[in-house]
Amino acid sequence: MDKKDIKWSEIGFGYMSADYRFQADWKDGKWNEGALTTEDKITISECAGVIQYAQTCFEGLKAYTWKDGSIVTFRPELNAERMQNSARRLMMPEVSTEMFLRALDETVKANAAWVPPYGTGATLYVRPCLFGSGPVIGVAPAPEYIFRLFVTPVGPYFKGGIKPLKICVSDYDRAAPHGTGDIKAGLNYAMSLYPGQLAHSNGYAENMFLDAATRTNVEETGGANFLFVTKDGKLVTPKSSTILPSITRRSLVYVAKEYLGLEVEERVVPFEEVSEFAEIGVCGTAAVISPVGEIDHKNGKIMVPSGMNEFGPVLKKLRETLVGIQMGDVEAPEGWIRKIM
């Protein structure tokens, strides 16, 4: 199949309207079958639950073109499961794994020409979202919902591609204890917009958020989990009930243990320990892993030993291995790859 005439290696992380998207509607207590549509606009009530009370959640995953021309996705069942967890917490009807995967397969197949070619560094980003579309004026769940899945080709998440980031410790909180930090709710990301823009205006790529209760432990950025590497080569990831359970992080932990033979610790990471790590990175669907070279905070700055010029050796190998699995160049664990066509 011929691909779209796009300069794939030059695109950034932004939205392009592809040809098709999938939509299903929940009304009278049940979902309809759902179908592909070419319409990229949605009409909802001015009193919709998503507008009035931020009743919405979303997911993010990617589709890849392999060297042999196959188009695949990476562990989408886990995205379906996480969206179901988010829906329950936000009092929305769950999208079954069956419907989620059908929407994914049909939409990616219909937009095969938009999946960037192998070796370009670009991928097809897949955005499933669920939101209250029916009118509700009192504080309550909406009476109707829309599940929509659309796609857009993307390049690197951070401007300038993969190079060490300069970040800062935020004075703001990302998520409260017993709140919604562990689900992919739109409201969590809305909360991060102001501190994110403040960081960008001061020359930083991202924020490091600390726990809201004590402000002593590392949580995550506005949209990615942290990875730390000790001086003796151990991988450490922060553990907290208010951190989003990243599928990329979960996969990297497995790769670190089973492919690279690394010792891994998932535990609370006090901020005072951050200066002791040899390498630091952030991970997520969009970025995979991006290295961190500098962390500024109110009492000074931490210069990560791996530097501001390139990846440290452990995170570099970890990223190469996971990307190799996703792109078909490294054998994947059973069940990790879903072939679409």
Side-chain angles (χ1 to χ4, degrees):
M1 172 177 286
D2 293 335
K3 300 291 186 179
K4 294 289 183 178
D5 184 17
I6 296 173
K7 294 182 179 179
W8 301 105
S9 61
E10 298 179 12
I11 62 175
F13 198 87
Y15 172 72
M16 296 184 202
S17 178
D19 296 328
Y20 297 93
R21 62 277 303 143
F22 179 94
Q23 181 169 317
D25 300 283
W26 191 88
K27 186 176 182 180
D28 298 326
K30 61 182 180 181
W31 288 105
N32 66 7
E33 281 297 305
L36 292 176
T37 175
T38 59
E39 180 54 65
D40 62 358
K41 304 294 189 297
I42 300 172
T43 300
I44 56 174
S45 168
E46 63 185 354
C47 201
V50 62
I51 297 173
Q52 302 306 317
Y53 302 117
Q55 201 180 14
T56 179
C57 65
F58 67 96
E59 278 297 319
L61 62 156
K62 290 179 177 178
Y64 313 85
T65 301
W66 279 7
K67 191 179 297 185
D68 65 2
S70 301
I71 295 177
V72 307
T73 55
F74 180 73
R75 309 190 78 180
E77 297 86 354
L78 296 183
N79 293 95
E81 179 185 345
R82 192 168 61 180
M83 176 169 267
Q84 290 156 9
N85 292 336
S86 297
R88 284 194 294 271
R89 181 64 175 83
L90 296 173
M91 294 296 292
M92 297 194 290
E94 295 178 32
V95 175
S96 69
T97 300
E98 179 183 10
M99 177 182 282
F100 187 99
L101 295 177
R102 178 166 62 86
L104 171 66
D105 290 352
E106 290 183 8
T107 306
V108 173
K109 282 181 181 178
N111 292 293
W114 292 88
V115 186
Y118 175 86
T120 59
T123 54
L124 187 75
Y125 190 78
V126 181
R127 171 53 59 86
C129 51
L130 171 64
F131 56 90
S133 56
V136 54
I137 196 66
V139 180
E144 297 173 7
Y145 295 85
I146 289 174
F147 167 61
R148 178 169 275 229
L149 187 147
F150 64 89
V151 299
T152 181
V154 296
Y157 183 71
F158 292 106
K159 292 180 180 179
I162 304 169
K163 63 181 183 179
L165 308 174
K166 179 181 177 182
I167 68 174
C168 62
V169 176
S170 180
D171 291 328
Y172 293 86
D173 295 327
R174 177 189 158 272
H178 313 296
T180 57
D182 63 335
I183 64 170
K184 208 164 177 65
L187 60 93
N188 292 342
Y189 294 80
M191 295 284 282
S192 74
L193 292 178
Y194 179 79
Q197 184 57 46
L198 191 62
H200 295 161
S201 66
N202 288 320
Y204 300 103
E206 258 292 3
N207 282 299
M208 172 183 278
F209 289 102
L210 304 180
D211 73 290
T214 69
R215 297 196 58 76
T216 59
N217 301 317
V218 177
E219 291 268 289
E220 59 175 277
T221 71
N225 286 184
F226 277 103
L227 299 170
F228 301 102
V229 179
T230 64
K231 293 175 182 176
D232 59 356
K234 185 186 302 179
L235 184 71
V236 178
T237 66
K239 185 177 183 179
S240 167
S241 62
T242 52
I243 290 177
L244 184 75
S246 164
I247 295 165
T248 301
R249 182 203 57 78
R250 194 186 319 184
S251 302
L252 287 167
V253 164
Y254 182 92
V255 168
K257 292 177 181 177
E258 304 300 329
Y259 282 67
L260 305 184
L262 300 178
E263 185 178 348
V264 179
E265 290 184 352
E266 299 178 65
R267 59 172 174 81
V268 173
V269 178
F271 177 71
E272 62 182 16
E273 188 183 342
V274 170
S275 61
E276 301 174 13
F277 291 114
E279 301 176 40
I280 299 175
V282 294
C283 67
T285 298
V288 185
I289 302 177
S290 289
V292 174
E294 178 181 334
I295 304 172
D296 291 2
H297 56 101
K298 61 183 178 182
N299 295 321
K301 65 178 61 178
I302 296 170
M303 301 303 298
V304 183
S306 54
M308 285 296 292
N309 295 317
E310 58 184 3
F311 261 102
V314 175
L315 292 183
K316 181 179 181 181
K317 185 62 176 176
L318 195 56
R319 186 185 194 279
E320 288 175 347
T321 306
L322 184 64
V323 171
I325 290 171
Q326 293 171 332
M327 298 304 300
D329 299 322
V330 175
E331 186 175 354
E334 185 177 355
W336 278 29
I337 300 298
R338 181 178 180 84
K339 185 174 181 179
I340 292 181
M341 61 183 298

